[in-house]
């Protein structure tokens, strides 16, 4: 580990252990609460998906016509299948096909972009086309880049700046090895922000040539571009996917929409794989919530007890301060006169005031370096420490010459 990394780690450890670990305890408590909330949401999603029927596209019409939607609906309140205000939560497994295949437009043409989308790089056809261009940046400390150490604490060294363009055409899911006319379901992507099961068809990383300006950026520790990544992903025709959402009849045709309460909409996984994945996530979230919650309670309890004891000690010192002042005023006048006047050698002067003779020794370190007045003033501090060894002191004792 370099010197800069050691300094960054020291700063982070000091921040985490501030106030006897109270900041670290609050951070762990936040993580535990987030884990419990995600566990609750994941458990609810698992229960809904478990109760949802798994059907083929050809069975949706009869299912929606003969069933009520008040049991597994993701919407609240009353639902109405005839006008599309509600829907039944279902899981449909089928193949991707363009919607134009059931609209009487005949055979799908390769060059007709209104029916399908064609990849510019690979020539493959699909219904969703996503082009991503990412500029990758690197950050070097450089000779004058000491400020990069502070930025590296809160941000990663490798940065990227991404521009993404997504195009899609209406598509449906049809039953495997059957024509679209035998049964299909329209996929409604409106309002969906779930991840898509896209397939990467083009991936190219092009390095960026360095320029004199790039050299200056690296010299002064600023970020500079090192590469340009081009990617192209599509949802190809004929791909088997699973749709999890609310299905209803719209204009006589079954239509499925995403449910915001569920983490899945379109996925490569089957229903059993989705349930296994959610079950594993619930176990991990529950264990992390219990572990982080226990650690947070222990650290916060320790911090509260430590700070409470410190506050009581400080309050006790404040209460005993008038007594110490009165005790210091009761010092015999001849001893005070001896300390205030007279020729005191330099090696016996108080290290605080440099005027009076050293008379008080600190306990437990035993250093005899202060006069009685300065020793009493040090004892009245919130955290009294010896001015020589910086060890915490409990009291001081008056030393008399024999």
């Amino acid at each position: 580990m370099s010197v800069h990394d050691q300094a960054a780690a020291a700063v982070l450890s000091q921040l985490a252990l501030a106030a006897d670990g109270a900041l670290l305890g609050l951070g762990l408590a936040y993580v535990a609460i987030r884990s419990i909330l995600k566990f609750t949401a994941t458990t609810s999603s698992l229960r809904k998906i478990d109760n949802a029927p798994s059907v083929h596209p050809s069975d949706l019409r009869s299912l929606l016509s003969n069933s009520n939607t008040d049991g597994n609906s993701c919407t609240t309140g009353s639902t109405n299948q005839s006008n599309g205000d509600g829907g039944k939560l279902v899981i449909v497994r089928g193949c991707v096909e363009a919607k134009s295949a059931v609209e009487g437009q005949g055979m799908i043409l390769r060059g007709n972009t209104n029916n399908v989308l064609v990849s510019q790089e690979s020539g493959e056809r699909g219904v969703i086309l996503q082009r991503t261009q990412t500029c990758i940046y690197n950050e070097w400390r450089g000779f004058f880049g000491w400020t990069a150490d502070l930025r590296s604490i809160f941000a990663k060294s490798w940065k990227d700046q991404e521009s993404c363009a997504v195009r899609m055409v209406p598509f449906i899911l049809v039953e495997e090895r059957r024509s679209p006319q035998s049964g299909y379901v329209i996929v409604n992507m409106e309002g969906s922000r779930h991840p898509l099961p896209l397939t990467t068809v083009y991936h190219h990383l092009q390095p960026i040539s360095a320029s004199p300006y790039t050299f200056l950026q690296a010299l002064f520790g600023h970020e500079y571009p090192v590469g340009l990544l081009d990617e192209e992903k599509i949802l190809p025709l004929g791909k088997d996917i699973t749709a999890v959402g609310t299905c209803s009849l719209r204009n006589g045709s079954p239509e499925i929409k995403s449910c915001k309460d569920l983490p899945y909409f379109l996925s490569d996984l089957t229903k059993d794989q989705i349930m296994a994945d959610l079950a594993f996530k619930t176990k991990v979230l529950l264990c992390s919530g219990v572990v982080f919650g226990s650690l947070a309670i222990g650290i916060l309890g320790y911090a509260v007890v430590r700070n409470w004891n410190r506050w009581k000690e400080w309050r006790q010192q404040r209460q005993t301060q008038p007594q110490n002042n009165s005790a210091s005023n009761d010092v015999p006048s001849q001893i005070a006169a001896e300390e205030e006047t007279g020729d005191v050698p330099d090696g016996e002067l108080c290290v605080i005031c440099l005027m009076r003779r050293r008379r008080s020794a600190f306990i437990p370190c035993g250093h005899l370096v202060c006069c009685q007045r300065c020793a009493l003033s040090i004892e009245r501090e919130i955290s009294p420490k010896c001015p020589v060894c910086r060890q915490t002191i409990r009291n001081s004792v008056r030393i008399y010459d024999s």
Side-chain angles (χ1 to χ4, degrees):
M1 182 181 294
S2 63
V3 178
H4 299 282
D5 295 335
Q6 292 178 359
V11 172
L12 288 177
S13 62
Q14 290 178 1
L15 291 176
L17 298 177
D20 292 323
L23 185 62
L24 178 61
L26 292 176
L28 292 176
Y30 174 77
V31 175
I33 293 174
R34 289 292 302 271
S35 299
I36 295 299
L37 293 177
K38 289 183 179 180
F39 167 76
T40 305
T42 306
T43 304
S44 177
S45 301
L46 179 61
R47 183 173 58 253
K48 290 180 180 180
I49 293 178
D50 188 20
N51 296 330
S54 180
V55 297
H56 296 287
S58 59
D59 302 330
L60 285 174
R61 291 180 183 273
S62 59
L63 178 65
L64 296 177
S65 301
N66 300 328
S67 62
N68 295 324
T69 61
D70 55 354
N72 290 329
S73 176
C74 285
T75 58
T76 58
S78 62
T79 57
N80 187 354
Q81 294 179 353
S82 60
N83 57 9
D85 292 337
K88 181 178 180 60
L89 181 63
V90 295
I91 301 175
V92 184
R93 182 75 177 181
C95 296
V96 177
E97 187 60 82
K99 189 179 178 183
S100 59
V102 295
E103 292 180 347
Q105 296 184 10
M107 183 175 59
I108 301 174
L109 300 178
R110 178 185 177 91
N112 192 346
T113 57
N114 294 326
N115 298 331
V116 294
L117 299 174
V118 181
S119 172
Q120 298 179 2
E121 304 296 339
S122 63
E124 298 189 25
R125 297 183 301 170
V127 293
I128 299 179
L129 176 63
Q130 176 180 321
R131 291 184 59 87
T132 305
Q133 190 175 67
T134 306
C135 186
I136 302 176
Y137 288 84
N138 187 23
E139 185 174 333
W140 184 54
R141 292 188 179 91
F143 296 102
F144 305 100
W146 57 271
T147 55
D149 296 331
L150 299 178
R151 292 196 299 268
S152 62
I153 299 177
F154 305 99
K156 58 183 179 179
S157 298
W158 286 85
K159 301 180 180 180
D160 53 4
Q161 192 173 18
E162 182 179 276
S163 61
C164 182
V166 180
R167 296 174 55 195
M168 64 178 62
V169 295
F171 64 99
I172 59 176
L173 295 182
V174 300
E175 196 165 349
E176 299 178 2
R177 296 181 298 275
R178 292 188 181 182
S179 62
Q181 286 74 16
S182 62
Y184 65 91
V185 57
I186 301 174
V187 180
N188 189 345
M189 298 294 298
E190 181 180 357
S192 174
R193 295 187 177 181
H194 296 79
L196 298 174
L198 302 180
T199 302
T200 302
V201 295
Y202 179 75
H203 182 92
H204 179 66
L205 178 61
Q206 179 181 359
I208 297 178
S209 301
S211 63
Y213 179 69
T214 304
F215 174 74
L216 292 177
Q217 287 179 315
L219 184 64
F220 287 93
H222 296 288
E223 58 183 20
Y224 59 92
V226 295
L228 188 64
L229 178 63
D230 288 327
E231 285 185 316
E232 196 170 62
K233 299 180 180 180
I234 65 170
L235 183 59
L237 297 176
K239 183 177 182 179
D240 294 334
I241 62 173
T242 301
V244 182
T246 54
C247 190
S248 60
L249 292 175
R250 182 183 295 272
N251 299 327
S253 300
E255 181 184 77
I256 189 168
K257 297 180 62 176
S258 64
C259 182
K260 296 181 180 179
D261 298 336
L262 300 179
Y264 295 96
F265 178 38
L266 301 179
S267 174
D268 294 324
L269 306 177
T270 62
K271 179 181 178 180
D272 295 336
Q273 292 173 340
I274 291 176
M275 292 183 58
D277 184 51
L278 290 177
F280 176 75
K281 288 182 179 179
T282 55
K283 294 179 181 179
V284 173
L285 291 173
L286 179 60
C287 293
S288 62
V290 172
V291 171
F292 286 116
S294 302
L295 291 176
I297 293 175
I299 294 176
L300 288 176
Y302 171 77
V304 169
V305 172
R306 287 276 298 176
N307 287 279
W308 174 258
N309 292 334
R310 287 184 178 180
W311 181 80
K312 289 196 300 183
E313 292 177 0
W314 176 79
R315 185 179 179 182
Q316 185 178 4
Q317 290 178 358
R318 296 285 294 180
Q319 292 176 353
T320 57
Q321 181 176 357
Q323 300 177 2
N324 293 333
N325 291 335
S326 61
S328 63
N329 294 330
D330 293 339
V331 179
S333 58
Q334 63 273 17
I335 297 178
E338 179 186 355
E339 292 184 350
E340 292 291 345
T341 59
D343 188 10
V344 182
D346 293 340
E348 298 181 6
L349 287 175
C350 173
V351 297
I352 303 297
C353 63
L354 298 177
M355 295 175 55
R356 293 176 289 273
R357 190 185 300 272
R358 302 178 183 180
R359 291 294 185 185
S360 296
F362 294 115
I363 299 174
C365 64
H367 285 127
L368 178 63
V369 292
C370 294
C371 62
Q372 190 170 6
R373 293 185 182 180
C374 294
L376 292 175
S377 64
I378 292 176
E379 290 180 26
R380 288 193 289 266
E381 295 179 357
I382 298 177
S383 179
K385 294 182 179 180
C386 175
V388 176
C389 64
R390 306 306 298 171
Q391 183 179 353
T392 302
I393 61 175
R394 297 193 304 267
N395 201 351
S396 63
V397 59
R398 175 72 161 80
I399 304 300
Y400 294 94
D401 296 333
S402 57

